[in-house]
Amino acid sequence: MINRIEALYDHFRQGSGISTDTRKIEKGNLFFALKGPNFDGNQYADKALQAGAGLAVVDDESRVKDSRFFCVNDVLKALQQLATHHRNQFNIPIIGLTGSNGKTTSKELINAVLSKKYQVLATRGNLNNHIGVPLTLLELKEKTQMAIIEMGANRQGEIMELCQIAGPTHGFITNIGKAHLEGMGGAEGVLKTKTELFQFLLDNGGKVFINTLQPIFNPMRKWFSDAVLFPGEEDFCPVKFMGADPYVKFSVNSEKEIFTSQLIGDYNFDNLAAALCFGKFFKVPMQEGIDAVCRYTPENMRSQLVEKRSNLIILDAYNANPSSMEAALKAFDSMNRKKQKMVILGDMLELGEDTKVEHEKLGEILNSMAIDKICLTGKLIHYALPKVPKALYFPDPFSLRNWLQDSKLENHQILIKGSRGMKLEGFMDFI
């Protein structure tokens, strides 16, 4: 297979990039005929070539008609091995980043800071899985000076597999929370999976960045005598939290000057501090790093602040799990009351046997807060209702849309949060 990968690499160097979607083929692309639960990419190889692809990588010999087809044993493995082979041509820092919450925000902030000095390749969007990581690595160019590779996981062992593909030299775990409990085997499985990044770096002499505000990482500090610590006063990069109402304020080294970011919620302070730590480690001037994090504006439904008429909306509908839901609610509850406070919450998915108890805990959290209106929607979140009797429950999105349309809300502070599958951003049009 090694010889086949080297031969495939020759095609890659002569081509114009990688495609896995015949609708997005560019002339000279290598088309990888990936399989999914409901499709077989081999069936689209001819279409890819007709659309301008220079080579179709398939694993069905019956599809091979001429030299424009390249047959391998397994298309996905070939893509991953090609990515690793390409990555190994570069002697540059490869930053691996994972965690239960805040991965993408941390990645974007670190990218913003490091880009002040370096040519940086960073994971685009949410391409952080067994397909997305190889696709990102294959975008490494001669001019690239470092890369930030986001890694997500739904099961144990997946982060280690992604590490073996990407070969990170530096690593950071944002936090360990209750995400993807169903596939991970509970909270202990989440801890084991996320720390696979640290295990890989330990085995390969890599550099680890540890957030000392996260107690769960304290036992791991003994593994690494040279870990880069932040944000405490005695740490490598002292950054101090100075409040969040709603925007995170912080100081660096001294409280004489306080900076204001465009990030909402105290939970985002950790992401901001990590970016400044990476910047200091890689010798980005501190003031340039501060400017970068202060200019960063969240988007893609991740703690976005949106004003609609007299309403102030925090759109945090990209995803949700028990840890991120609690953090978002506590941050929202602690904000100064400038208008009536209201939350629109949807199901937390992929919790497996913990579904009922975690939604019940959510109800208890909501009941302890001074929130004027609580709107819950989804099939699972009804488990929260006995714990929060003041909540309004809408079993389907249609009924909630009607209620929002009829209510004609004014002068409200509103938090919208739920798992990606709930698509709660759709309610924005009715507020």
Side-chain angles (χ1 to χ4, degrees):
M1 187 67 174
I2 293 175
N3 290 336
R4 294 293 286 165
I5 294 301
E6 289 177 349
L8 185 57
Y9 191 60
D10 288 338
H11 286 286
F12 170 73
R13 287 191 298 177
Q14 296 168 27
S16 61
I18 303 294
S19 178
T20 61
D21 187 340
T22 55
R23 296 167 297 182
K24 299 176 182 178
I25 293 284
E26 294 182 9
K27 187 173 177 59
N29 278 177
L30 272 66
F31 172 71
F32 279 76
L34 296 172
K35 295 189 183 75
N38 303 308
F39 68 91
D40 180 355
N42 288 287
Q43 297 175 0
Y44 300 95
D46 285 324
K47 185 176 180 181
L49 293 169
Q50 291 167 8
L55 192 76
V57 183
V58 299
D59 49 20
D60 180 351
E61 287 187 19
S62 68
R63 297 285 171 179
V64 177
K65 298 175 182 176
D66 53 45
S67 60
R68 297 177 301 161
F69 294 80
F70 192 98
C71 193
V72 295
N73 293 330
D74 184 301
V75 170
L76 175 59
K77 287 183 179 178
L79 176 67
Q80 294 169 343
Q81 291 172 352
L82 179 68
T84 300
H85 186 76
H86 182 55
R87 177 261 176 272
N88 289 339
Q89 312 307 308
F90 294 81
N91 185 24
I92 61 174
I94 303 286
I95 300 166
L97 189 155
T98 191
S100 297
N101 307 310
K103 291 187 295 296
T104 300
T105 300
S106 285
K107 174 202 67 186
E108 295 297 338
L109 286 165
I110 294 169
N111 183 25
V113 171
L114 295 179
S115 293
K116 288 287 185 176
K117 185 174 181 178
Y118 303 98
Q119 289 284 338
V120 183
L121 169 68
T123 300
R124 286 183 290 107
N126 201 32
L127 291 173
N128 62 11
N129 63 4
H130 61 295
I131 297 172
V133 168
L135 291 175
T136 300
L137 291 168
L138 288 166
E139 292 183 14
L140 287 165
K141 309 293 184 188
E142 285 186 13
K143 65 180 181 180
T144 307
Q145 295 174 291
M146 60 177 60
I148 307 167
I149 306 298
E150 182 181 332
M151 301 177 181
N154 296 315
R155 57 175 175 77
Q156 289 188 37
E158 195 165 3
I159 295 297
M160 183 58 76
E161 291 172 9
L162 296 177
C163 285
Q164 289 166 348
I165 293 169
T169 57
H170 300 70
F172 170 54
I173 304 174
T174 59
N175 48 53
I176 306 291
K178 297 176 179 178
H180 303 294
L181 294 175
E182 187 172 22
M184 299 284 197
E188 289 185 9
V190 175
L191 174 62
K192 182 178 183 300
T193 301
K194 297 302 181 183
T195 53
E196 287 167 3
L197 172 59
F198 280 1
Q199 185 63 56
F200 179 89
L201 292 166
L202 180 64
D203 294 342
N204 292 275
K207 181 71 71 173
V208 164
F209 291 68
I210 294 180
N211 180 353
T212 56
L213 294 179
Q214 297 281 336
I216 199 166
F217 295 129
N218 285 333
M220 301 173 202
R221 290 166 63 172
K222 63 185 178 184
W223 299 357
F224 306 94
S225 58
D226 62 346
V228 181
L229 307 178
F230 69 93
E233 291 182 11
E234 303 300 319
D235 295 336
F236 173 76
C237 186
V239 187
K240 188 171 183 179
F241 177 68
M242 302 299 290
D245 189 29
Y247 296 112
V248 175
K249 294 179 172 62
F250 65 99
S251 63
V252 181
N253 297 320
S254 165
E255 295 181 20
K256 291 180 180 178
E257 188 169 9
I258 297 174
F259 305 97
T260 302
S261 73
Q262 298 183 62
L263 295 161
I264 297 169
D266 54 3
Y267 52 89
N268 266 317
F269 169 72
D270 290 22
N271 302 325
L272 180 155
L276 292 175
C277 183
F278 272 94
K280 182 178 179 181
F281 181 83
F282 286 107
K283 296 182 169 45
V284 175
M286 182 56 74
Q287 190 56 54
E288 291 189 24
I290 291 170
D291 290 344
V293 298
C294 288
R295 288 176 180 272
Y296 172 75
T297 303
E299 51 189 25
N300 295 328
M301 299 172 287
R302 292 179 171 93
S303 299
Q304 268 185 274
L305 195 64
V306 181
E307 292 187 46
K308 290 196 72 175
R309 299 187 310 279
S310 61
N311 299 311
L312 192 65
I313 305 165
I314 298 173
L315 181 59
D316 196 4
Y318 187 81
N319 218 337
N321 57 56
S323 304
S324 68
M325 187 73 88
E326 182 176 3
L329 284 168
K330 286 183 175 179
F332 183 68
D333 188 47
S334 67
M335 289 180 186
N336 286 338
R337 179 180 291 276
K338 299 169 184 174
K339 306 170 186 282
Q340 285 196 72
K341 286 192 174 183
M342 172 180 173
V343 296
I344 299 173
L345 305 181
D347 291 345
M348 297 182 289
L349 306 176
E350 298 182 54
L351 298 181
E353 62 184 19
D354 295 296
T355 295
K356 184 174 184 291
V357 67
E358 291 297 345
H359 282 90
E360 287 176 342
K361 287 179 183 176
L362 172 60
E364 293 171 357
I365 292 168
L366 286 167
N367 201 47
S368 69
M369 294 179 170
I371 297 174
D372 302 297
K373 296 175 184 174
I374 299 173
C375 296
L376 307 179
T377 183
K379 296 179 180 178
L380 305 178
I381 207 165
H382 77 273
Y383 289 123
L385 289 175
K387 305 292 183 179
V388 55
K390 62 182 178 180
L392 300 175
Y393 176 62
F394 303 88
D396 59 82
F398 183 74
S399 54
L400 177 52
R401 284 177 198 153
N402 285 341
W403 183 86
L404 288 170
Q405 211 162 17
D406 293 340
S407 297
K408 296 181 172 57
L409 299 171
E410 295 289 349
N411 296 308
H412 280 71
Q413 291 171 247
I414 306 170
L415 170 67
I416 302 177
K417 189 166 181 63
S419 283
R420 180 83 299 269
M422 296 301 295
K423 300 180 179 177
L424 297 189
E425 67 276 7
F427 295 122
M428 290 289 289
D429 294 335
F430 302 90
I431 295 176

